[in-house]
Amino acid sequence: PGMAEGAEANTSGIKGAEVPREIKRWNWAAFLVTPIWGLFSGVPLAALMFAIYLPVFPGPLKFVALMAGSLYLGFRGNEHAWRGKKWRSVKHFKSVQQRWLVWSIGLNLVGLLLLLLLSGSGAEG
């Protein structure tokens, strides 16, 4: 009696809660658009990475901090997001993260295209 076989209690939104095994995996969106993803996924650590863009951080330090934070949240972002926000279910969580993946790839492609266009226009002068 009780929950169906394989069903787990929804522990999302609870600090220190057990994270379902099926979502303990790499999160491309958390890696590719870390600060933006963090704002909307209940992960304040990722949102704090916006501070790295402040001019007080020298270029090399900025790169190292962004890469370290992005790698960490690529590996552990799902766990932080699961605990940081209430989700309807594991299926809902995975669906939202899949949409984030599509948006993060799109945003990175647009950024790359803009970079290429801007670098190309500077070379012509």
Side-chain angles (χ1 to χ4, degrees), residues 11-99:
T11 60
S12 67
I14 302 170
K15 291 186 188 331
E18 184 61 32
V19 176
R21 186 178 60 220
E22 64 210 86
I23 63 172
K24 286 185 177 180
R25 47 187 267 200
W26 180 261
N27 185 318
W28 278 106
F31 175 74
L32 292 170
V33 291
T34 306
I36 299 168
W37 171 87
L39 272 175
F40 295 97
S41 297
V43 183
L45 171 66
L48 281 175
M49 288 182 61
F50 275 120
I52 295 171
Y53 293 102
L54 294 173
V56 296
F57 290 97
L61 178 61
K62 190 179 295 191
F63 176 78
V64 169
L66 284 171
M67 194 49 77
S70 295
L71 284 169
Y72 173 76
L73 287 165
F75 282 110
R76 303 292 301 270
N78 281 347
E79 295 171 52
H80 286 284
W82 180 258
R83 292 179 181 130
K85 186 175 175 178
K86 188 69 177 168
W87 303 90
R88 291 193 298 261
S89 64
V90 170
K91 183 178 179 182
H92 173 240
F93 178 86
K94 290 167 89 173
S95 169
V96 170
Q97 297 308 314
Q98 183 64 39
R99 280 182 271 157

Side-chain angles (χ1 to χ4, degrees), residues 107-124:
L107 286 171
N108 275 274
L109 288 174
V110 167
L112 184 61
L113 182 63
L114 285 172
L115 188 65
L116 291 171
L117 287 172
L118 291 174
S119 66
S121 66
E124 294 173 14

